[in-house]
Amino acid sequence: MSPKLLPRSVVEIAASVRGGEVSAESITQASLDAVAARDGQLGGFLSVAADLALQRARDIDLRRERGETLGPLAGVPIALKDALCTKDQPTTSGSRILAQGIDQQGRAIDPWRPPYDATVVARLRAADAVFIGKSNLDEFAMGSSNENSAFRLARNPWNLDRTPGGSSGGSAVAVAGRMTAGALGSDTGGSVRQPAALTGTVGVKPSYGRVSRYGLIAFASSFDQVGPITHDVASSAAMLQIIAGADPADGTTTHHRVGAYREACSRGVAGMRIGVPAEYFADGLDDEVAAQVRRAIAALEENGASISNIELPHTRHAVATYYILATAECSSNLSRFDGVRFGHRAHGSQTLREVYETTRGGGFGPEVKRRIMLGTYVLSAGYYDAYYRRAQQVRTLIRRDFEHAFQSVDLIATPVSPTVAFPLGSKLDDPLAMYLADVYTLPASLAGIAAISVPCGLGSASGLPVGLQIIAPSFAEEQMFQAAQVVEDTAPDREVIPQACQS
Ligand code: GLN
């Protein structure tokens, strides 16, 4: 491994900064150097806060010299999905509507600056993490390829002609491209897990209610959860440990005990019951993905888990159900972007209606408009019963499938994505094909339960990363990490470095 590459482990960086073996400033500088060297090509960041990051790193070093105890993520360089509010950095959610324009380099002109930090951001700050910048995403987190970003194309560090996935594509690129050690993304229907799978990183969607949504720009509030993207499972556990827990500012968070996630990682899977649902291995799953996923499941068995076949019969309705409910929620959530309260306002309008029409017409991209229209339609009088209410009922059936399965198994193992990273542009003109990329991540989102994507090898045909998904009951993140660690420990190809990081 090239000595110049940023260390991969959040846990190791924090330990060596806290122990004084390395300065937070030198780690931050290494991260910023990597961004300067690679991000022009990779497109992982929408904004970089170099001065702020260095200032903060020096402050952390000073505090250590003074004998203060540093936080558990001391000096760890982190990328924040640009859907998370940051009081000292711009926030655009990948949308033109939160900026006054876009310059030649694809940078936001005079973007929105939130007056407060999202709770997850405040918690990482309090843990002494260092924020390198805001990462690229599909506009308002809607998409599976990052191609809906209003600003820049994000490229997969393993193959620059491929997507890094979405919507937290930039967060995955920052980590896989060795520009930061960790990142936060948000997962509504797969937006942390799928980009993690396509870039060979670890991504967690916590149980609904486990992590505060306060200050996460809302897409579909009954689904949205913030989760970490890292290189390894222990680092993922360490980050979740910091961001998890009740928050008075988000009434959907729970007081349910936060587990000891780091400790759980070393417990192994002996005696654990893991279910494999036939519905996730049907037509449309690429052979090279299936092969690595099955190998990883066999490794879990060799390590003492008992594997059984299970059924999740309503899986086939997940895509339709999600795209009704998520669009309905987004049509309501995005009504706040009206040209009056935030960001951009179109000039030259005479009436309030014209302000709305021209601001929203010019400010939202095509996918966001499509979803607002679909969502408004499924909620409208006369169609509500046929679509929205029915989708709510099917959501319950999907949740019950999992409840039933979890009576006989502790965890469920599946693929994350039916394919490895697909070529940029290949699904752009076909929204339905793009929606189908989410087929394996949507059910856990509909059920509100926990899931993780862990790298489990490279595809034999493409040489690109494959992810295994481990789905756990609500608030069983500890068991999820136990199995994830075994998958990581037994995965082949772990030392292969993405193409973009080799030079
Ligand atoms: N790809 C899915 C969508 O476009 C999920 C997005 C997400 O999780 N934010 O809605």
Side-chain angles (χ1 to χ4, degrees):
M1 197 189 304
S2 159
K4 274 177 279 163
L5 283 177
L6 189 72
R8 291 204 275 199
S9 162
V10 164
V11 174
E12 281 169 22
I13 291 176
S16 46
V17 170
R18 284 162 59 98
E21 291 122 50
V22 60
S23 68
E25 183 176 358
S26 66
I27 290 284
T28 302
Q29 193 59 57
S31 168
L32 291 168
D33 290 348
V35 173
R38 290 196 278 281
D39 201 52
Q41 197 172 41
L42 291 175
F45 285 88
L46 293 181
S47 59
V48 178
D51 293 343
L52 271 180
L54 284 169
Q55 213 176 38
R56 202 166 142 68
R58 286 186 201 117
D59 176 60
I60 291 169
D61 290 333
L62 262 174
R63 281 166 42 216
R64 200 197 64 80
E65 283 160 27
R66 274 196 237 119
E68 284 179 38
T69 307
L70 299 179
L73 299 181
V76 176
I78 299 283
L80 298 169
K81 186 178 188 175
D82 205 20
L84 291 164
C85 289
T86 41
K87 64 182 179 199
D88 53 3
Q89 292 177 50
T91 301
T92 66
S93 215
S95 182
R96 197 180 264 272
I97 208 163
L98 283 174
Q100 299 306 329
I102 302 181
D103 73 12
Q104 302 281 348
Q105 282 81 46
R107 303 282 172 189
I109 299 170
D110 194 13
W112 182 54
R113 288 182 173 269
Y116 64 97
D117 275 342
T119 297
V120 290
V121 172
R123 288 190 181 177
L124 291 185
R125 228 187 255 284
D128 286 330
V130 174
F131 303 135
I132 298 301
K134 305 298 290 287
S135 44
N136 204 352
L137 70 159
D138 287 298
E139 183 175 6
F140 288 110
M142 298 174 195
S144 309
S145 68
N146 217 111
E147 290 164 297
N148 298 332
S149 168
F151 300 104
R152 307 179 71 189
L153 197 64
R155 297 177 182 276
N156 193 316
W158 292 85
N159 178 331
L160 296 175
D161 298 326
R162 305 271 175 142
T163 178
S167 66
S168 313
S171 297
V173 168
V175 176
R178 305 294 286 269
M179 298 187 284
T180 65
L184 287 184
S186 64
D187 190 311
T188 304
S191 279
V192 166
R193 288 163 286 160
Q194 184 254 20
L198 303 193
T199 59
T201 52
V202 177
V204 172
K205 183 201 91 73
S207 311
Y208 188 80
R210 183 68 298 173
V211 175
S212 170
R213 293 178 295 110
Y214 179 70
L216 167 68
I217 295 177
F219 162 12
S221 308
S222 77
F223 297 85
D224 299 341
Q225 277 292 292
V226 177
I229 297 181
T230 56
H231 282 285
D232 59 293
V233 173
S235 297
S236 179
M239 282 185 72
L240 183 63
Q241 198 77 51
I242 305 295
I243 62 171
D247 176 12
D250 174 2
T252 62
T253 55
T254 162
H255 288 274
H256 201 283
R257 183 186 77 90
V258 175
Y261 303 132
R262 276 292 305 289
E263 290 73 10
C265 292
S266 56
R267 260 180 236 143
V269 291
M272 249 185 190
R273 301 163 304 166
I274 299 180
V276 178
E279 293 81 359
Y280 285 65
F281 292 83
D283 291 350
L285 176 62
D286 268 13
D287 290 345
E288 60 174 343
V289 174
Q292 288 295 21
V293 166
R294 292 210 182 271
R295 192 208 45 73
I297 293 170
L300 286 165
E301 189 166 29
E302 281 157 26
N303 279 270
S306 63
I307 308 293
S308 60
N309 294 322
I310 58 162
E311 283 177 12
L312 296 168
H314 296 94
T315 300
R316 67 180 188 283
H317 301 301
V319 175
T321 306
Y322 170 83
Y323 278 96
I324 290 171
L325 297 176
T327 56
E329 292 187 30
C330 95
S331 75
S332 164
N333 272 327
L334 269 56
S335 65
R336 62 171 63 89
F337 302 102
D338 56 4
V340 178
R341 286 173 286 184
F342 306 91
H344 161 78
R345 177 188 299 179
H347 297 295
S349 308
Q350 302 300 316
T351 64
L352 186 62
R353 192 190 168 97
E354 271 175 38
V355 171
Y356 291 165
E357 280 179 0
T358 43
T359 301
R360 288 166 67 85
F364 289 138
E367 180 62 24
V368 171
K369 286 181 187 162
R370 173 161 35 242
R371 299 213 186 183
I372 292 172
M373 287 190 282
L374 278 171
T376 306
Y377 175 76
V378 301
L379 286 172
S380 58
Y383 296 101
Y384 181 94
D385 285 337
Y387 294 108
Y388 184 75
R389 187 193 304 281
R390 212 170 161 79
Q392 290 284 29
Q393 290 164 337
V394 179
R395 184 178 195 175
T396 300
L397 296 177
I398 290 171
R399 187 180 291 134
R400 283 193 195 143
D401 275 1
F402 283 107
E403 281 167 10
H404 182 252
F406 285 131
Q407 285 171 5
S408 56
V409 296
D410 302 305
L411 297 170
I412 295 170
T414 78
V416 179
S417 161
T419 65
V420 295
F422 47 89
L424 288 165
S426 64
K427 297 186 201 283
L428 207 49
D429 299 329
D430 186 352
L432 209 56
M434 192 72 91
Y435 298 170
L436 284 169
D438 304 331
V439 60
Y440 301 138
T441 52
L442 296 176
S445 298
L446 285 155
I449 55 185
I452 189 169
S453 172
V454 198
C456 66
L458 302 176
S460 58
S462 62
L464 294 172
V466 174
L468 177 82
Q469 176 170 237
I470 296 164
I471 304 174
S474 279
F475 311 118
E477 277 86 359
E478 283 173 301
Q479 285 97 297
M480 177 187 86
F481 281 121
Q482 276 178 257
Q485 185 66 59
V486 171
V487 173
E488 175 173 285
D489 292 342
T490 55
D493 312 318
R494 281 187 58 205
E495 295 310 318
V496 183
I497 292 171
Q499 190 193 68
C501 305
Q502 284 172 11
S503 49

